[in-house]
Amino acid sequence: MVTIGLLVRVNARPGKERETENFLRDGLALIEDEPGTAAWFAVRINCATFGIFDAFEQDAARRANLAGKVATALMERSDELFTRPPTIERVDILAAKLPG
């Protein structure tokens, strides 16, 4: 059962919205290498604000995700794509419904 997660928010630089969207879509392929990530979503919140939500069963998996390929790519491209560094929040999942 997933009990913890990460909520990441990024604000695209003006003119970088499409590139940010594609960057996040491409993140799905990177996350496939993380077996501890039970659920992963890239979302658009509004025209320039995007996010990632991940869910985990164990804190070790969450820590691995924070050191993984998507997190590394976010930081590497942060100055290019985002108006400020990503906001990363550790969250507790109160209830969830996942396929399976």
Side-chain angles (χ1 to χ4, degrees), residues 25-86:
R25 286 179 192 275
D26 292 345
L28 180 60
L30 298 176
I31 210 71
E32 295 293 340
D33 293 336
E34 295 185 14
T37 302
W40 187 88
F41 303 90
V43 299
R44 176 190 291 271
I45 298 167
N46 60 42
C47 64
T49 306
F50 298 83
I52 296 173
F53 178 75
D54 319 75
F56 311 93
E57 293 180 6
Q58 300 175 358
D59 192 52
R62 180 166 63 180
R63 287 192 312 270
N65 177 274
L66 286 168
K69 293 177 182 177
V70 172
T72 299
L74 274 173
M75 295 310 169
E76 285 176 353
R77 300 210 47 207
S78 180
D79 289 342
E80 172 194 353
L81 295 177
F82 314 136
T83 59
R84 59 182 173 266

Side-chain angles (χ1 to χ4, degrees), residues 18-19 29 39 50 57 76 80 91-93 99:
R18 175 73 67 192
E19 196 171 343
F50 298 83
E57 293 180 6
E76 285 176 353
E80 172 194 353
V91 299
D92 294 323
I93 297 173

